[in-house]
């Protein structure tokens, strides 16, 4: 009989010692299994976990090719709900008894129950991930889609009564509840559904009488299937455990991060929890590593803008700003710019809050105000590292602005962001920070304002009639637009979730600083004069760039108006 070692011995082939140690330490707090913790943390794929289990226990891993065409007869009893709840599937009778595939070969009580119910003495065990077994259960017995209700219906009444008090006993009970299979499945379902719907954020919001789950898809919040209010504490605690947060602390905001693999993709979730009147509100920002590194061509620039943008990001020195509200795609644009200029002959350093994605070949610094590492202190240290290009996540104060300007004056190319409504307003924002106007005029090379508009669904968009007022607006950018032009409108279908839109793309306002604008900056001219000078130099407004995308049948009039409505009073 061969010697069997602990699972960690076999996992060493698939994870590093540091990752294994991280899971072991977390296991001591959560009492979960090391292998599943590594999967939950996104450090180990389920396939590799089952390979390690097979090496340890000697049970073969069943692949799709090895499942029989039809399952064995189970008699008159309805086993479907039991098999789905415990992820087991009897395949065929053998000399040993029954060939059984299970997701958890160490769940001995369940195996004993099946032996008793089927009247057999032993099993010929195979193992497979839960998703694979569930898929074959759907194939054999019909698809019963997994839903929040189906998970909740399978929970005991005692499990549903966990409210989560403040004493130590309740905290321990809550931790145990958050580590139970139904709650884990429930949270994993909420995350997988959000990713399937292309959501950027998951909002878990407690109210007096209910718990609300909402997904932000293409910038718009949509209601999702909601668990009962009494599971609120367990669900939030499960998310906090996954993000390595303190589940006993409910009075202060906390931030954490979850790394996991969903549908074969590596997903990072940035988790934020804040105390509210009726419990903790949790928001998970979904960071899909495969979607952030877009090329310049994918951003949605008009051809003339793209040429100017490419020229500006290759300048040897100066400051290039990207401006817009939170969620307008500023980080994506800046990462695309860095990706474009990231070559072996350039040293690039960033200081960000937070570092959302790792950029190969780029030195990235995470801001940490608790230890005094702010944008300004980080930027001051960066300059001594002899970089060619610097990215400052955001210019928030006078000190950061002044250091960024000094960096540009000493021969560095600096990228950064500001929160202003349009490009010309960024100039006055800097002077409002008490930065000398002559310094602003001498280093700013260009400012890009942007928003994100939803794109029409290719599957259900149709031509609609246009009115004379629309044609008049569209002719501000295309004077010879024919009277026969008709825009398109999404009708809503299964592909787009009934919204009529699928995906998003940027609309832009690019301000290039020329001599006239530099002179106006030096004179502390009002933003209206700066805007008029920029228009004379060829700058299109955000709304005008949106009209171009309407004319190209990429988006709708309503969508352009929605994202540019705060600017309609300043368009000249």
């Amino acid at each position: 009989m061969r010697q069997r070692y602990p699972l960690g011995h076999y996992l060493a082939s698939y994870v590093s010692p540091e990752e294994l140690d991280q899971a072991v330490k977390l296991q001591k707090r959560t009492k979960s299994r090391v292998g599943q913790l590594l999967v939950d943390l996104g450090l180990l794929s389920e396939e590799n976990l089952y390979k390690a289990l097979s090496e340890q226990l000697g049970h073969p891993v069943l692949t799709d090719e090895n499942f029989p065409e039809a399952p064995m007869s189970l008699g008159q009893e309805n086993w479907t709900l039991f098999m789905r709840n415990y992820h087991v599937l009897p395949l065929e009778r053998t000399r040993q008894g029954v060939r059984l595939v299970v997701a958890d070969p160490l769940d001995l009580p369940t195996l004993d129950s099946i032996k008793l119910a089927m009247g057999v003495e032993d099993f010929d065990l195979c193992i497979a991930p839960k998703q694979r077994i569930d898929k074959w259960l759907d194939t054999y017995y019909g698809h019963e889609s997994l839903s929040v209700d189906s998970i909740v219906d399978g929970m005991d009444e005692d499990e549903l009564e966990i409210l989560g008090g403040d004493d130590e006993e309740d905290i321990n009970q809550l931790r145990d509840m958050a580590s139970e299979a139904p709650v884990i499945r429930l949270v994993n379902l909420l995350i997988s559904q959000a990713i399937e719907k292309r959501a950027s954020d998951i909002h878990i919001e407690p109210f007096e009488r209910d718990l609300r789950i909402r997904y932000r898809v293409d910038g718009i919040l949509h209601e999702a299937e909601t668990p009962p209010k009494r599971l609120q504490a367990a669900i939030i605690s499960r998310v906090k455990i996954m993000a390595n947060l303190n589940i006993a602390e409910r009075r202060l905001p906390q931030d954490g991060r979850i790394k996991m693999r969903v549908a074969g993709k590596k997903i990072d979730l940035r988790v934020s929890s804040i105390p509210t009147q009726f419990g903790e509100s949790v928001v998970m920002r979904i960071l899909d590593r495969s979607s952030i590194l877009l090329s310049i061509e994918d951003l949605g620039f008009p051809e003339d803008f793209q040429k100017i943008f490419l020229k500006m990001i290759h300048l040897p020195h100066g400051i290039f700003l990207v401006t817009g509200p939170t969620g307008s795609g500023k980080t994506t644009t800046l990462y695309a710019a860095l990706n474009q200029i990231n070559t072996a002959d350039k040293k690039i350093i960033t200081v960000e809050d937070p570092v959302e994605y790792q950029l190969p070949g780029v030195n990235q610094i995470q801001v940490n105000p608790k230890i005094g590492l702010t944008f300004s202190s980080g930027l001051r240290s960066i300059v001594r590292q002899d970089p060619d290009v610097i990215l400052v996540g955001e210019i928030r104060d006078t000190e950061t602005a002044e250091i960024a300007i000094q960096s540009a004056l000493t021969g560095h190319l600096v990228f950064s962001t500001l929160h202003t409504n349009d490009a010309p307003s960024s100039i006055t924002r800097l002077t409002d920070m008490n930065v000398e106007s002559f310094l602003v005029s001498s280093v700013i090379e260009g400012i890009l304002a942007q928003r994100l508009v939803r794109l029409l669904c290719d599957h259900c968009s149709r031509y609609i009639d246009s009115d004379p007022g629309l044609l008049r607006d569209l002719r501000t950018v295309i004077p010879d637009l024919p009277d026969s032009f008709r825009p398109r409108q999404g009708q809503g279908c299964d592909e787009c979730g009934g919204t009529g839109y699928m995906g998003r793309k940027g609309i832009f306002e690019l301000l290039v600083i020329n001599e006239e604008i530099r002179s106006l900056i030096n004179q502390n001219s009002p933003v209206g004069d700066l805007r008029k000078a920029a228009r004379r130099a060829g700058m299109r407004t955000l709304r005008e760039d949106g009209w171009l995308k309407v004319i190209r049948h990429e988006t709708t009039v309503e969508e352009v108006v929605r994202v540019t409505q705060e600017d309609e009073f300043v368009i000249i």
Side-chain angles (χ1 to χ4, degrees):
M1 184 175 180
R2 71 186 184 92
Q3 184 175 359
R4 182 189 298 175
Y5 298 97
L7 182 60
H9 172 81
Y10 303 94
L11 289 173
S13 302
Y14 306 103
V15 296
S16 67
E18 293 77 17
E19 292 170 335
L20 185 58
D21 184 57
Q22 178 185 352
V24 170
K25 289 179 180 177
L26 189 59
Q27 181 198 33
K28 293 176 181 177
R29 296 203 304 270
T30 64
K31 306 303 180 184
S32 300
R33 293 178 183 173
V34 169
Q36 189 57 49
L37 282 171
L38 286 166
V39 173
D40 292 341
L41 291 169
L43 303 174
L44 177 71
S45 68
E46 272 202 319
E47 288 295 329
N48 286 338
L49 169 60
Y50 278 86
K51 287 179 182 178
L53 282 171
S54 177
E55 293 170 19
Q56 181 197 31
L57 303 175
H59 303 312
V61 179
L62 203 65
T63 64
D64 282 336
E65 292 77 18
N66 301 130
F67 275 83
E69 292 185 6
M72 64 176 285
S73 173
L74 298 174
Q76 309 223 340
E77 288 189 68
N78 185 1
W79 282 69
T80 308
L81 183 59
F82 178 86
M83 291 189 292
R84 288 185 186 279
N85 285 342
Y86 292 96
H87 306 283
V88 299
L89 179 58
L91 297 174
E92 58 187 355
R93 294 196 177 273
T94 65
R95 291 180 180 177
Q96 289 78 18
V98 169
R99 185 166 172 245
L100 181 75
V101 59
V102 296
D104 185 359
L106 300 179
D107 185 2
L108 300 182
T110 296
L111 295 178
D112 289 340
S113 298
I114 299 173
K115 285 180 184 177
L116 185 63
M118 299 189 74
V120 297
E121 295 184 359
D122 204 356
F123 290 121
D124 180 8
L125 277 186
C126 304
I127 58 176
K130 294 176 182 177
Q131 291 87 345
R132 188 174 299 157
I133 295 175
D134 291 345
K135 184 182 82 171
W136 281 95
L137 281 169
D138 290 338
T139 300
Y140 292 148
Y141 303 106
H143 181 66
E144 296 175 17
S145 60
L146 188 62
S147 66
V148 170
D149 286 343
S150 67
I151 294 176
V152 173
D153 289 344
M155 299 177 72
D156 296 335
E157 283 301 314
D158 291 342
E159 291 177 326
L160 290 173
E161 293 301 326
I162 301 295
L163 300 178
D166 291 325
D167 56 64
E168 188 65 29
E169 182 179 351
D170 279 344
I171 295 298
N172 290 333
Q173 190 179 15
L174 189 58
R175 182 180 288 109
D176 292 341
M177 175 64 176
S179 301
E180 290 292 328
V183 175
I184 293 174
R185 287 205 304 273
L186 188 53
V187 172
N188 287 347
L189 176 64
L190 295 176
I191 294 173
S192 62
Q193 282 183 344
I195 293 170
E196 182 181 340
K197 295 177 184 293
R198 304 176 295 105
S200 60
D201 301 87
I202 304 170
H203 294 250
I204 304 175
E205 302 166 309
F207 294 96
E208 184 176 8
R209 293 184 175 84
D210 60 0
L211 177 68
R212 183 161 66 171
I213 309 292
R214 294 194 288 175
Y215 299 146
R216 188 178 295 279
V217 181
D218 292 334
I220 305 295
L221 282 170
H222 299 273
E223 294 269 5
E225 193 179 6
T226 301
K229 171 74 173 177
R230 47 192 170 174
L231 277 178
Q232 171 183 312
I235 290 170
I236 291 173
S237 295
R238 175 60 190 167
V239 173
K240 292 173 73 174
I241 287 172
M242 293 172 70
N244 203 22
L245 301 180
N246 181 3
I247 68 169
E249 179 55 76
R250 302 172 190 160
R251 301 164 300 170
L252 296 173
Q254 295 187 70
D255 294 296
R257 199 166 190 140
I258 299 171
K259 292 185 176 182
M260 59 191 304
R261 188 183 294 270
V262 179
K265 294 195 299 186
K266 289 183 177 179
I267 301 294
D268 287 355
L269 295 104
R270 202 169 72 218
V271 180
S272 170
S273 73
I274 60 170
T276 68
Q277 186 178 3
F278 300 110
E280 288 178 283
S281 173
V282 174
V283 175
M284 291 182 275
R285 167 66 59 86
I286 300 172
L287 307 172
D288 183 353
R289 298 184 192 180
S290 64
S291 66
I292 185 68
L293 282 181
L294 300 177
S295 66
I296 299 295
E297 293 75 18
D298 294 329
L299 294 176
F301 285 126
E303 189 174 344
D304 53 346
F305 273 25
Q306 183 169 312
K307 290 179 181 177
I308 300 171
F309 182 78
L310 286 170
K311 180 180 178 181
M312 303 203 79
I313 65 175
H314 284 93
L315 291 172
H317 52 76
I319 294 180
F320 185 83
L321 297 174
V322 180
T323 182
T326 300
S328 59
K330 299 187 298 295
T331 299
T332 300
T333 298
L334 287 174
Y335 278 12
L338 291 185
N339 202 37
Q340 179 76 24
I341 63 175
N342 184 16
T343 54
D345 61 335
K346 283 188 174 70
K347 177 162 184 173
I348 303 174
I349 305 181
T350 75
V351 52
E352 306 170 62
D353 182 23
V355 174
E356 293 192 1
Y357 296 92
Q358 286 73 48
L359 299 174
V362 176
N363 300 276
Q364 295 172 271
I365 300 171
Q366 168 77 53
V367 166
N368 189 349
K370 293 180 181 178
I371 61 173
L373 180 55
T374 61
F375 278 118
S376 55
S377 63
L379 183 54
R380 188 180 291 108
S381 300
I382 281 176
V383 176
R384 295 193 284 269
Q385 289 280 311
D386 187 32
D388 298 292
V389 179
I390 299 170
L391 184 148
V392 185
E394 183 183 349
I395 294 178
R396 295 178 178 173
D397 51 47
T398 302
E399 186 179 8
T400 305
E402 289 177 342
I403 299 171
I405 288 172
Q406 291 299 324
S407 301
L409 288 171
T410 53
H412 303 91
L413 179 60
V414 179
F415 295 105
S416 192
T417 69
L418 279 175
H419 286 285
T420 59
N421 286 337
D422 61 359
S425 298
S426 300
I427 301 295
T428 54
R429 174 62 59 85
L430 290 173
T431 55
D432 288 344
M433 289 181 182
N434 296 319
V435 179
E436 294 290 346
S437 57
F438 73 90
L439 290 175
V440 175
S441 67
S442 61
V443 297
I444 302 294
E445 298 293 341
I447 303 170
L448 179 75
Q450 68 178 68
R451 300 288 190 278
L452 293 176
V453 294
R454 292 181 292 172
L455 299 176
L456 280 167
C457 174
D458 291 334
H459 298 87
C460 66
S461 65
R462 302 288 185 271
Y463 286 106
I464 61 172
D465 294 331
S466 58
D467 59 72
L470 172 61
L471 290 174
R472 185 175 60 251
D473 288 339
L474 297 183
R475 287 192 176 110
T476 60
V477 288
I478 304 291
D480 57 350
L481 187 69
D483 291 338
S484 59
F485 173 79
R486 298 170 65 199
R488 292 177 72 89
Q489 184 81 46
Q491 306 301 302
C493 65
D494 291 340
E495 294 292 330
C496 61
T499 64
Y501 298 96
M502 177 79 77
R504 290 191 291 175
K505 187 175 282 189
I507 59 173
F508 304 95
E509 177 178 286
L510 181 58
L511 169 60
V512 179
I513 307 297
N514 59 18
E515 290 307 314
E516 180 187 4
I517 296 174
R518 291 190 198 279
S519 176
L520 290 172
I521 296 172
N522 282 327
Q523 298 168 31
N524 290 317
S525 299
V527 67
D529 292 346
L530 293 170
R531 187 176 294 111
K532 289 177 183 177
R535 296 299 300 275
R536 285 194 295 271
M539 184 188 81
R540 283 194 295 268
T541 65
L542 286 164
R543 180 163 289 190
E544 288 171 343
D545 192 39
W547 291 152
L548 283 177
K549 289 179 169 58
V550 171
I551 292 169
R552 293 170 184 153
H553 297 127
E554 295 178 2
T555 189
T556 64
V557 174
E558 293 80 7
E559 185 66 6
V560 172
V561 171
R562 180 183 70 84
V563 301
T564 62
Q565 57 187 338
E566 74 272 16
D567 304 308
E568 62 182 322
F569 301 109
V570 298
I571 292 177
I572 300 174

